[in-house]
Amino acid sequence: MTNNVTEIPHRDDADLERAQAYFDDIIARDSRIEPADWMPEAYRKTLTRQIAQHAHSEIIGMQPEGNWITRAPSLKRKAILTAKVQDEAGHGLYLYSAAETLGTPRDELVQQLLDGKAKYSSIFNYPARTWADMGAIGWLVDGAAICNQVPLCRCSYGPYGRAMVRICKEESFHQRQGWEILYTLSNGTPAQKQMAQDAVNRTYGPALQMFGPPDDQSPNSQQSMAWNIKRFSNDELRQRFVDMIVPQAEALGLTLPDPDLKWNEERGHYDYGELDWDEFFGVIKGHGPANAQRLAHRRAAHENGAWVREAAAEYARKQAEAEAQTAAVA
Ligand code: FAQ
């Protein structure tokens, strides 16, 4: 759904009220806000925060798997993993573009990440210890990402919702390839099966925490849901994910490391145990096992890429100069 809405310039209080009423009407009709539309500053701010954090997560999220490309066990596995990591880079780029439409330039957003001021997903602050982690990341991390992101395809902000459609399609392939790695290991030697189980044990809790803090500790959820940015609360999506992965784990022949996990007939959902929220809040404050390493690596990659940015800027300058000269002659 799109609107052919043009920006309503607001000059006085009455104009502002009309603009706000127009915005409220678009949200009430479950239609879409586009970059040129008027929007409340708080809406712009929360979207810039969420989309930029999401973009940073995709970019930092390349590291745990990127580390394993040279150690993939076959040419086929290497090709698949390379393609997946490249997809994540692409997701980061669409998302920075979507965030830029809200008015903050990409280099400013990237600088916030490099300065350690912007958050990115907690999950990427854990090391990937064995090849089986590639399976667990694909199955559980991409699986959680899909569960969280499919509803975002209906986000009220047009550029974000549209970017999510393609991202979700690619994440589905990522989840399948992870599941298939684990399935192969689980049906391999006892040592391979144990490696798969250990990776699932490591990844399960942090993957469930990707959905964010519990609803009663989530300061942004209520307003984001009222604005149709988020469609479900953190706990609702976490529950949906748990219900989805329990039968998948059974099909894999692996167990999920939660003694409290059991079907609740009355609720029609699986009950699951309390997660370690102290650990989560520590990780998002920068104290996870790999936070420092991830940021150091990103800063080094950014510095190494300086010459590309300089060359692109110089090329653009020369093109503009040539166009200006042509225009002056004509
Ligand atoms: N990690 O009030 P809420 C992927 C922050 S992409 C770190 O509940 P909100 C693909 C939150 O930002 C994974 N920080 O916040 C892939 C807020 O910060 P503030 C990323 C977290 O926004 C796979 C504060 O805590 N996905 O995996 C986390 O309403 C494999 C309070 O929280 C997205 O970004 C966390 N887990 O809900 C790539 C999806 N949770 O206010 C490579 C889009 C919360 O201090 C390899 N984002 N925080 O700045 C969202 O859906 C939402 O932003 C939530 C958080 C659900 C993440």
Side-chain angles (χ1 to χ4, degrees), residues 8-20 38:
I8 303 173
H10 57 278
R11 285 176 290 275
D12 54 29
D13 286 353
D15 285 332
L16 191 60
E17 260 174 48
R18 268 208 306 279
Q20 178 74 52
W38 181 89

Side-chain angles (χ1 to χ4, degrees), residues 46 49-50 53-55 57-62 65 84 88 91 119-124 137 141-142 144-145 148-149 152 160 164 171 174 206 209-214 217-221 224 230 234 237 280-281 284:
T46 209
R49 174 189 64 81
Q50 176 166 329
Q53 285 175 0
H54 193 166
S57 305
E58 301 280 358
I59 297 300
I60 296 275
M62 294 162 69
E65 289 164 296
K84 180 188 188 297
E88 309 300 0
H91 299 173
K119 292 191 173 74
Y120 57 88
S121 186
S122 48
I123 187 73
F124 303 117
I137 290 174
V141 176
D142 288 276
N148 167 260
Q149 291 169 21
L152 291 174
Y160 191 31
M164 292 318 302
E171 300 293 18
H174 298 169
Q209 292 178 327
M210 287 173 69
F211 294 94
Q217 294 174 64
S218 164
N220 301 299
S221 277
S224 289
K230 286 167 83 161
N234 299 353
L237 291 174
F280 170 80
F281 286 113
I284 69 172

Side-chain angles (χ1 to χ4, degrees), residues 168-183:
C168 285
K169 285 185 182 162
E170 293 177 351
E171 300 293 18
S172 302
F173 148 68
H174 298 169
Q175 191 200 19
R176 286 290 186 89
Q177 66 85 41
W179 198 88
E180 201 262 339
I181 289 173
L182 288 180
Y183 187 82

